[in-house]
Amino acid sequence: MGRIHFGGDYNPEHWPEEVRAEDIRLMQEAGVSMVTAGIFSWALVEPRPGAYDFDWFGRVLDDLHGAGIRVCLATMTASPPPWLTEQHPEVLPQDADGVRRWPGSRQHFCPSSPVYREHAVRLVTELATRYGTHPALESWHIGNEYGCSNPRCYCDVSAADFRRWLHERYGTVEALNTAWATTFWSQRYGTFEEVFPPRTTPTFPNPAQVLDYARFCDDALLQCYLAEKEALRRITPDVPVTTNHMPLHKPVDPYAWAAHEDVQALDFYQDPYDPETHVGAALAFDVTRSAGGGRPWMLMEQAPSAVNWRARNSPKPPGTMRLWSWQAVAQGADAVLYFQWRATPGGAEKFHSAMVPHAGTDTRIFREVRALGRELAAVPQLAGARSRPEVALLADWHSWWALEQGSHPSADLDFAETLRRHYRPFFDAGVECDVVPPDRDLSAYRLVVVPNLYLMSTETGARLTEFVRAGGHLLVSYFTGISDDCDRVHLGGYPAPLREVLGLRVEEFWPLAEGQHLPLTGTLTGSGDLWSEAIDLEGAEEVAAFGAGELAGRPAVTRHAYGDGVAWYAGTRLPVAAMRALVDRVRAGAGVAPVLPGLPAGIQATVREGAEGRFLFLLNHGAGTATVTLPEPMPAVAGDGVDPAAGPVASVDLPARGIVVLRA
Ligand code: GLA
């Protein structure tokens, strides 16, 4: 992108046209270099079917161009206009009980609806035809937060589309019966016509059907995106396309979508009331960067201060908006944008903060926005640089969909929470991570972490085994490698695809009662909770054992030297300190060092490397000033208490919420 872009959602239709001159002037003052425009403009640009009123929108683009502001142009399709659903009520989505969702909000469309897609594509074609060569156009922003409010529709249109999808996937109904194990509970299907979406059932639905429905629903959303993308590509083959994802959003698999995006875009709203908010953000940023194979990505939305959709909406205390914006840059973002430019007086988001608040520009928020815009404008050399983590965590949306269903040994398994727990010790230690899907090439990593990957194909098991044989280090946690892609259990002792590399067999799961803790004995201290299991060693050595309960004396954590590498296994959920101790040992064996040794608590350190050099980012998420001693003197690029014009510095005093970027 050539620079670190700065800006936000620009919704000029909320205001009389004369406000725009002030908008543009203030954008320039604030260093705004990019806006995403038109996201919810459908009803205004197409007030009647096929009758367009684009004049006002064209003037907006012209004015932005005149000010040198690039536009990531939205395709306007996230909120169908009232005429569409009035004329075609079948476009409206239905929940699993058959209850219809009505207009009056947004995203009130069934993702499988051909009527919705046809109207969306018609609008997008019109947009691309009109503005495809507009000089302000930088990229296309397709839809908006796919699946935020309509992740799953269960209407008859969806049912028919699901049957088509199943037919394509399985070919014959016999193959479907086998995949879904429909001999169970008399579910055998004679034709695809007999199959329904997993609407509300008297008791547990078929788990493979639920899994396939999650796959289908994600795919239906993706097909909406692709229908628009195809129309855009026909007319503007060289203009990049993207869409903004929500963080760790269960209905939408970012890895599947990434193949169809030219740049990854994420919306992340840090919660000032959550002391761990920056850790959750770090994980989501790493997922986003990894989805794109490490290329620079866009933080498409964040709040300048408070949001309006939590139960209690804290403003961002002074300095945190800057800190959390730099965090995205430190983790690979080349654009930092907000929702939204100017706070509206009406509508459902009137209490959401904006770059220009209700109180105007003589405000803390605008001053902080302006300062950050200027700061980011001064560091174009950072753009394009990449990080190169040596650790990968595996995440798999299909496994997530299969894991969190009823009828399992425990209802307490929560994939996102488990992923965070495995990510946290690396973040705390200052070790950068990628978060990749299981089919990625793992050869560039020294260490691969596999948290609760319930669904695992035999091939993935074989690849992980090979990874260790060739010298890689592997850390696997409980209830991993249990079922295949159709959610059928791999037989012969759990986790069958990994037994050889882990050197063990799990005979029986023993999930723990609520609040139950089992003390650990051996070389890890603390107690496991949530989960335990009966592990038989088959070559692995015991690292820690259960110290109480029915499994007292049996292994809880193991280590197996295999080939040229080592495979570790945790058969219980470890508390934070024990997890940290385990990860430190695993890392030491794998030769994975933090970005800087001896980082003070609360300091995040990352490295981005590119054509313009190698840059070290230091961010202070802690409450007090921290001193970071550098391994060698480094010139400063930007940040607190440093002068880029002065010579190299040997150490940095980082105030709370401070940031520094150095040339490493
Ligand atoms: C999402 C949407 C925006 C806006 C913000 C508010 O990210 O994409 O349109 O509603 O939330 O936080």
Side-chain angles (χ1 to χ4, degrees):
M1 293 181 228
R3 55 162 294 160
I4 306 295
H5 273 295
F6 183 71
D9 281 20
Y10 184 36
N11 301 307
E13 67 267 34
H14 297 162
W15 301 93
E17 257 198 273
E18 40 297 1
V19 176
R20 197 160 62 250
E22 190 193 50
D23 281 339
I24 300 280
R25 183 177 56 74
L26 291 176
M27 283 182 192
Q28 287 181 308
E29 190 184 325
V32 167
S33 59
M34 180 187 278
V35 296
T36 75
I39 301 167
F40 297 102
S41 302
W42 190 348
L44 283 196
V45 301
E46 192 180 358
R48 288 179 313 287
Y52 298 106
D53 176 9
F54 273 107
D55 289 352
W56 66 276
F57 194 72
R59 290 194 293 276
V60 172
L61 294 184
D62 294 347
D63 287 355
L64 288 166
H65 175 62
I69 296 167
R70 309 294 296 152
V71 177
C72 177
L73 186 47
T75 58
M76 309 186 172
T77 51
S79 191
W83 56 255
L84 180 61
T85 47
E86 195 268 328
Q87 290 182 10
H88 302 281
E90 72 276 15
V91 163
L92 295 168
Q94 279 179 21
D95 70 14
D97 289 314
V99 177
R100 182 165 283 181
R101 295 282 176 258
W102 294 93
S105 175
R106 63 174 169 182
Q107 278 195 339
H108 46 285
F109 63 87
C110 159
S112 288
S113 166
V115 177
Y116 165 76
R117 283 192 204 168
E118 188 190 304
H119 282 80
V121 166
R122 190 174 69 182
L123 173 64
V124 167
T125 305
E126 187 68 27
L127 262 173
T129 308
R130 281 172 190 262
Y131 301 121
T133 56
H134 196 286
L137 179 64
E138 170 87 13
S139 50
W140 293 108
H141 167 180
I142 300 180
N144 192 65
E145 289 193 342
Y146 276 96
C148 171
S149 317
N150 59 348
R152 287 190 188 152
C153 173
Y154 296 82
C155 74
D156 288 342
V157 173
S158 296
D161 199 25
F162 184 42
R163 291 179 196 119
R164 180 203 52 76
W165 186 91
L166 290 170
H167 201 282
E168 222 165 75
R169 183 175 176 85
Y170 294 109
T172 64
V173 79
E174 288 72 31
L176 171 91
N177 280 312
T178 307
W180 287 10
T182 55
T183 48
F184 200 79
W185 283 356
S186 181
Q187 290 169 359
R188 193 190 162 278
Y189 294 104
T191 67
F192 282 101
E193 287 313 301
E194 295 168 8
V195 182
F196 282 87
R199 292 176 178 159
T200 305
T201 44
T203 181
F204 299 123
N206 182 313
Q209 180 185 5
V210 172
L211 170 61
D212 268 350
Y213 206 63
R215 287 174 169 143
F216 159 76
C217 290
D218 182 28
D219 197 43
L221 291 164
L222 180 61
Q223 294 310 317
C224 291
Y225 168 88
L226 289 177
E228 294 192 25
K229 177 182 170 183
E230 200 179 296
L232 295 170
R233 276 283 194 264
R234 241 184 309 114
I235 303 165
T236 59
D238 300 324
V239 179
V241 299
T242 189
T243 186
N244 48 340
H245 289 270
M246 297 164 70
L248 288 181
H249 181 43
K250 188 175 168 188
V252 173
D253 176 359
Y255 302 121
W257 287 58
H260 309 286
E261 297 162 346
D262 295 316
V263 57
Q264 274 47 58
L266 176 74
D267 298 347
F268 199 97
Y269 288 87
Q270 300 223 21
D271 181 1
Y273 280 145
D274 173 5
E276 304 278 305
T277 190
H278 60 289
V279 185
L283 171 58
F285 294 169
D286 285 347
V287 170
T288 304
R289 189 193 59 247
S290 305
R295 66 188 170 199
W297 54 279
M298 304 170 74
L299 180 62
M300 177 110 57
E301 288 182 26
Q302 59 171 336
S305 190
V307 299
N308 68 313
W309 41 260
R310 293 192 172 102
R312 287 153 221 95
N313 299 297
S314 169
K316 287 183 174 170
T320 53
M321 185 271 285
R322 170 176 177 253
L323 172 67
W324 294 335
S325 299
W326 271 105
Q327 184 186 349
V329 178
Q331 292 186 241
D334 272 7
V336 169
L337 314 183
Y338 303 85
F339 176 85
Q340 65 174 332
W341 166 249
R342 193 186 271 277
T344 49
E349 296 188 311
K350 58 185 176 295
F351 292 121
H352 195 290
S353 61
M355 297 165 82
V356 181
H358 288 152
T361 54
D362 183 13
T363 49
R364 175 180 75 90
I365 292 176
F366 188 72
R367 279 188 285 276
E368 289 193 30
V369 162
R370 185 174 48 197
L372 179 61
R374 289 176 179 183
E375 192 170 39
L376 292 177
V379 289
Q381 67 270 43
L382 302 180
R386 294 179 173 223
S387 43
R388 309 206 186 287
E390 295 176 322
V391 178
L393 278 79
L394 294 197
D396 180 10
W397 260 243
H398 298 249
S399 182
W400 191 356
W401 294 327
L403 174 74
E404 291 174 9
Q405 295 198 33
S407 72
H408 276 194
S410 170
D412 295 332
L413 299 177
D414 170 339
F415 178 69
E417 201 272 336
T418 307
L419 186 60
R420 262 193 298 276
R421 275 191 178 244
H422 286 71
Y423 180 82
R424 175 79 197 268
F426 292 96
F427 181 86
D428 287 348
V431 175
E432 293 182 275
C433 298
D434 279 342
V435 187
V436 299
D439 60 359
R440 260 314 151 75
D441 175 14
L442 301 173
S443 54
Y445 301 108
R446 287 172 185 265
L447 168 60
V448 171
V449 181
V450 186
N452 192 187
L453 211 67
Y454 163 72
L455 214 70
M456 182 179 285
S457 65
T458 310
E459 297 75 54
T460 296
R463 289 181 59 242
L464 291 172
T465 305
E466 202 36 53
F467 170 76
V468 178
R469 198 198 312 274
H473 290 241
L474 182 70
L475 170 59
V476 177
S477 67
Y478 53 89
F479 209 44
T480 284
I482 306 304
S483 276
D484 68 11
D485 284 345
C486 299
D487 199 4
R488 281 174 312 205
V489 171
H490 294 290
L491 300 179
Y494 317 114
L498 296 175
R499 270 181 63 190
E500 180 180 331
V501 69
L502 295 174
L504 53 75
R505 179 182 77 137
V506 175
E507 186 184 333
E508 208 174 347
F509 307 127
W510 215 292
L512 299 178
E514 209 178 342
Q516 188 183 0
H517 286 76
L518 295 182
L520 298 171
T521 61
T523 59
L524 283 177
T525 49
S527 51
D529 71 349
L530 197 92
W531 188 267
S532 66
E533 48 191 31
I535 298 174
D536 298 323
L537 299 180
E538 293 177 337
E541 58 186 291
E542 182 180 292
V543 172
F546 293 111
E550 296 292 337
L551 299 179
R554 300 192 61 168
V557 179
T558 65
R559 177 185 186 278
H560 187 219
Y562 180 84
D564 294 333
V566 179
W568 300 72
Y569 185 70
T572 185
R573 186 170 78 167
L574 296 171
V576 173
M579 191 68 192
R580 198 172 286 156
L582 176 62
V583 162
D584 285 351
R585 279 163 71 176
V586 174
R587 275 202 303 112
V592 172
V595 170
L596 286 184
L599 271 181
I603 303 295
Q604 181 183 8
T606 68
V607 170
R608 285 183 69 173
E609 208 173 333
E612 301 280 336
R614 189 163 186 270
F615 302 99
L616 171 67
F617 294 76
L618 298 171
L619 298 93
N620 188 353
H621 297 284
T625 298
T627 300
V628 180
T629 308
L630 302 171
E632 64 198 66
M634 298 177 186
V637 173
D640 299 294
V642 291
D643 178 3
V649 293
S651 71
V652 173
D653 290 323
L654 264 184
R657 299 172 188 164
I659 70 105
V660 163
V661 185
L662 302 140
R663 192 178 278 278

